[in-house]
Amino acid sequence: MRGEAVAGSVATVVGALSALVLGVVSGRVASSYLDDQPWVGALYLVGAILLVIVGLDLWSPARRRGMWSLGALACLGVTAVFLVSTAAGLPDGSESQPWWDAWVGVGLLALAVYVVAMTAWLASARAAASGARWHGQVAGLHR
């Protein structure tokens, strides 16, 4: 059971750091859109704020599951905005933006790390819960 706790702690640290990095990247990308397409910049800014909140509050055990979920939704939203604004062009007729630069590379890496960390945390949380149930059942047999 100790191994699951350590794995969950490492996943939490990695997830929090990757959420913060992705929040910074989203904020940087938002600044490039705020002049030309303010609504796209605003969507990136909302994603950036949510990801920074997740990165700072993922440490709280009471809200950890909710923060992982909020982070996943923010990652999904930022990814959707990125795909629509770069690949498909914008609904207002604006041309699509160049889709690759160093910020995008860092953002995609942080997104992938967040998803892997969240998956590892969920696996460790399930294993810890399963182990606790098993130990409780065994302890009940010895009484």
Side-chain angles (χ1 to χ4, degrees):
M1 196 147 106
R2 173 105 171 102
E4 290 90 5
V6 170
S9 296
V10 170
T12 300
V13 170
V14 171
L17 291 175
S18 63
L20 288 171
V21 168
L22 189 55
V24 169
V25 169
S26 296
R28 165 62 179 85
V29 172
S31 68
S32 68
Y33 278 98
L34 285 173
D35 290 334
D36 296 335
Q37 293 98 13
W39 66 274
V40 174
L43 290 173
Y44 273 118
L45 201 55
V46 168
I49 291 168
L50 290 175
L51 286 162
V52 168
I53 289 170
V54 167
L56 294 175
D57 200 34
L58 201 55
W59 309 101
S60 168
R63 293 185 297 274
R64 191 165 292 152
R65 187 173 298 273
M67 285 294 115
W68 279 114
S69 300
L70 180 62
L73 288 174
C75 287
L76 184 63
V78 167
T79 302
V81 171
F82 170 75
L83 290 174
V84 168
S85 66
T86 57
L90 298 168
D92 65 0
S94 302
E95 294 294 319
S96 62
Q97 300 290 323
W99 70 275
W100 188 261
D101 63 8
W103 287 105
V104 171
V106 170
L108 288 174
L109 180 62
L111 177 67
V113 169
Y114 182 84
V115 170
V116 169
M118 185 175 77
T119 304
W121 180 81
L122 285 170
S124 69
R126 284 190 186 127
S130 173
R133 279 194 304 270
W134 185 81
H135 287 296
Q137 290 169 354
V138 171
L141 293 175
H142 292 286
R143 290 185 189 172

